[in-house]
Amino acid sequence: MTKSVRVRFAPSPTGFPHVGNIRTALFNWLYARHTGGVFIVRIEDTDVARKVEGALEAILGGLRWLGLDWDEGPEVGGNYGPYFQSQRLDLYRQAAERLVAQGDAYYCYCSPERLKAMREEQARRKESLGYDRHCRCLSDAERRQREAEGITPVVRFKMPLEGQTGFTDVIWGEVAVENSTLDDYVLLKSDGYPTYHLANVVDDHFMEISHVLRAEEWLSSVPRHKLLYQALGFEMPLLAHLPMILGPDRSKLSKRHGAVSITEYREQGYLPEAMVNFLALLGWSLDDKTDILRRDELIKSFSLERISKTAAVFNHEKLRWLNGVYLREMSQEELLPEIMPFLERRLPPAVKRPISEEYVARILPLIRERINTLAEAATYADFFFLDELEYEASLLVGKKMTAGGTLRALKAAREKLASLESFDHDFLEGALRPLAEGLGLKAGQLFGVLRVATTGRTAAPPLFETMMVLGKETCLKRLEAAIAKLAEI
Ligand code: GLU
């Protein structure tokens, strides 16, 4: 019988969750949901010095935002808790003591000063860096003496000095390293906290983790872990190390490549569904052509076999495009409440708050085809909200027109529009097309001038619909302002 799937996402609250962390979470979640297994969140908070305030909340908030619900872990509990490593210190200490008793680990009393000097010497001699095993063969008397001096030791793993350690990774295949390249790494620190290696192995065992899906950067830790599993008599889970994520310039994805924290994507108006789709394709694919895969389809088709070894490239334009696809799939009713907070937050300060939802409901159909993120609504549609538009007067001058001709056209249009009893689409069109003709202009020339006058820009939603939403009064005021502006040049 195959073991039931239990996978975990094991973030350290040492920073805000970036795209790489969340991709790991997503792959674990997808695998659990695909197999009907259990998705666990375990907080690896043993590095007290590097703990970042607010990071835990950001991690859990990011998961929740993306709809990556966990079956066991913080807030939800479970039968394998506690799910914070800082609350499991006894387990790690017991494991370390057992290893010492068995002869697989030893106490090391070396002072930080000695270790520093040792490293400097190694660097000077261009030797490989690593603990020189000074305390590995202390006699009982030497050990007692150090204890009597009140030195609190660390516990180090006793690496085999010869041979190889090999393992199989679902994605990377057979990997083997010479034991002589591995040093006697620390298992338990002098403050009683475990290192990542010890805590990770102990927890994966006691939480009955079946598969470890995590970033490629941990691949080199596996030989250490494997020897530790063996020494403790634990069975090792299956391993799948996910490929790196690179920026467009093929260097490791970092802050330099723009927003990388998941919180920032949320703030920039990316949709969770688009994000999930995009992140799933960073290292996994269904085939070589399918880009749009919704959550259900991802759950249905996710498999470890289709995870690639090749580093994934983070293509920001693709994310924007995908986001636009998901945005346009939303109904007006779904989109409206999502977009309101972005307008509230991002429209220029000059715009009066609160923003009217009713008004936005009229604008939305005009802009939704033209924006890719929720935040873009504020930059694309700000002219709907502003009292005064700021733009260069020269922008007003129509194609193949002079400033004088443009001024005449604007005055005539103002006259005409002021006389209209309705500002409906057909009324506007019925009035403005003949007006262009009367002025000896192409309709496009006149409409271009009016577009700039009413919106302050050359690219905007369809003119008549825009004017309808702005209303007669605002349009006339803006024509007035445009006329004044133009008169200055
Ligand atoms: N705490 C480690 C991290 O944040 C977990 C690595 C692992 O999954 O084993 O990357």
Side-chain angles (χ1 to χ4, degrees):
M1 217 179 75
T2 47
K3 264 208 309 194
S4 62
V5 169
R6 288 177 58 82
V7 289
R8 85 305 193 269
F9 173 51
S12 307
T14 50
F16 286 85
H18 56 74
V19 165
N21 300 133
I22 297 295
R23 192 268 314 252
T24 298
L26 174 63
F27 279 30
N28 277 285
W29 183 85
L30 284 173
Y31 193 56
R33 296 297 172 254
H34 174 78
T35 55
V38 176
F39 176 57
I40 298 152
V41 173
R42 176 174 81 220
I43 305 300
E44 303 210 323
D45 57 347
T46 57
D47 200 338
V48 188
R50 288 180 56 222
K51 190 169 171 218
V52 168
E53 219 39 66
L56 174 66
E57 291 69 23
I59 293 165
L60 299 181
L63 294 179
R64 235 180 265 115
W65 176 59
L66 293 170
L68 307 183
D69 55 330
W70 54 100
D71 309 306
E72 294 176 27
E75 294 169 14
V76 304
N79 292 333
Y80 296 77
Y83 294 90
F84 288 82
Q85 290 189 327
S86 58
Q87 296 167 21
R88 301 169 65 83
L89 299 183
D90 277 350
L91 275 176
Y92 314 129
R93 196 177 30 78
Q94 282 160 19
E97 281 168 3
R98 179 148 77 80
L99 289 166
V100 174
Q102 285 172 202
D104 288 311
Y106 60 91
Y107 292 113
C108 166
Y109 302 87
C110 290
S111 65
E113 295 73 34
R114 179 179 182 275
L115 295 174
K116 185 163 174 269
M118 175 199 78
R119 277 193 296 270
E120 282 167 5
E121 184 62 17
Q122 285 170 338
R124 200 176 60 77
R125 293 208 214 141
K126 299 204 167 38
E127 287 174 359
S128 58
L129 302 182
Y131 181 58
D132 61 3
R133 305 193 161 116
H134 183 261
C135 291
R136 185 160 162 152
C137 307
L138 292 184
S139 66
D140 282 347
E142 286 169 317
R143 205 170 301 123
R144 271 197 301 277
Q145 189 202 332
R146 285 166 173 76
E147 298 282 346
E149 284 168 22
I151 306 175
T152 327
V154 304
V155 177
R156 288 185 183 273
F157 189 73
K158 208 185 256 180
M159 264 303 154
L161 301 176
E162 296 165 346
Q164 278 197 337
T165 299
F167 62 94
T168 312
D169 183 279
V170 176
I171 298 162
W172 299 83
E174 303 292 324
V175 184
V177 300
E178 295 295 329
N179 291 336
S180 58
T181 62
L182 304 169
D183 77 337
D184 290 359
Y185 66 98
V186 174
L187 295 168
L188 202 65
K189 297 179 270 187
S190 55
D191 61 3
Y193 276 79
T195 56
Y196 155 73
H197 303 295
L198 177 65
N200 198 265
V201 164
V202 166
D203 285 350
D204 283 349
H205 170 73
F206 285 113
M207 293 183 177
E208 293 180 25
I209 299 303
S210 62
H211 296 69
V212 168
L213 274 60
R214 67 181 163 208
E216 183 189 328
E217 62 182 296
W218 300 107
L219 194 62
S220 60
S221 296
V222 177
R224 289 189 179 89
H225 294 182
K226 175 157 183 199
L227 292 163
L228 192 49
Y229 276 108
Q230 281 174 347
L232 288 164
F234 296 163
E235 195 189 328
M236 193 157 85
L238 291 178
L239 304 171
H241 286 84
L242 312 177
M244 282 220 295
I245 305 176
L246 305 180
D249 61 356
R250 304 215 130 249
S251 67
K252 193 167 183 242
L253 189 68
S254 72
K255 285 222 169 59
R256 267 185 315 116
H257 297 110
V260 286
S261 128
I262 203 73
T263 327
E264 280 173 55
Y265 284 103
R266 183 180 186 172
E267 279 163 13
Q268 288 177 14
Y270 287 89
L271 301 167
E273 294 310 309
M275 229 43 229
V276 163
N277 186 157
F278 177 76
L279 291 173
L281 296 176
L282 289 178
W284 177 86
S285 61
L286 177 64
D287 48 35
D288 52 12
K289 53 181 186 298
T290 314
D291 277 327
I292 298 173
L293 285 147
R294 289 162 191 81
R295 190 182 295 264
D296 290 353
E297 299 165 293
L298 288 170
I299 292 175
K300 198 168 119 243
S301 48
F302 189 78
S303 71
L304 301 184
E305 288 72 39
R306 295 232 23 119
I307 299 177
S308 139
K309 259 199 271 212
T310 318
V313 177
F314 190 95
N315 180 342
H316 206 271
E317 275 315 301
K318 182 171 170 182
L319 172 59
R320 273 196 66 220
W321 168 78
L322 255 182
N323 205 63
V325 170
Y326 279 89
L327 204 138
R328 282 180 273 287
E329 271 181 9
M330 290 169 81
S331 67
Q332 164 98 2
E333 291 67 39
E334 288 167 332
L335 196 51
L336 188 59
E338 293 296 327
I339 223 152
M340 287 305 296
F342 280 87
L343 294 174
E344 286 282 353
R345 267 204 312 273
R346 292 186 175 242
L347 280 173
V351 174
K352 274 191 274 322
R353 269 55 174 195
I355 312 289
S356 151
E357 194 165 315
E358 211 182 306
Y359 185 51
V360 176
R362 296 175 59 211
I363 294 166
L364 212 44
L366 302 186
I367 64 168
R368 57 180 299 165
E369 294 298 322
R370 295 169 178 82
I371 56 172
N372 283 317
T373 69
L374 298 171
E376 279 171 27
T379 31
Y380 186 72
D382 59 355
F383 64 86
F384 279 110
F385 301 90
L386 286 163
D387 272 342
E388 305 223 353
L389 302 181
E390 268 176 49
Y391 57 93
E392 287 295 317
S394 56
L395 214 58
L396 280 164
V397 180
K399 259 203 202 111
K400 298 194 182 139
M401 290 172 72
T402 59
T406 304
L407 194 58
R408 257 195 312 284
L410 277 172
K411 285 182 174 162
R414 180 192 50 185
E415 209 86 334
K416 188 85 213 165
L417 292 171
S419 73
L420 286 185
E421 59 196 71
S422 159
F423 237 52
D424 275 355
H425 186 283
D426 293 349
F427 271 84
L428 287 169
E429 187 161 17
L432 294 174
R433 281 195 191 275
L435 180 70
E437 217 181 290
L439 290 163
L441 295 171
K442 293 217 175 70
Q445 284 176 302
L446 177 64
F447 297 170
V449 171
L450 292 177
R451 175 168 298 114
V452 175
T454 51
T455 69
R457 54 183 79 195
T458 50
L463 180 65
F464 301 140
E465 280 87 345
T466 303
M467 289 174 70
M468 276 167 66
V469 171
L470 286 170
K472 186 172 178 176
E473 195 188 327
T474 303
C475 285
L476 289 177
K477 241 171 60 193
R478 289 187 180 182
L479 286 188
E480 208 62 64
I483 289 165
K485 233 183 213 301
L486 203 57
E488 281 168 22
I489 62 172

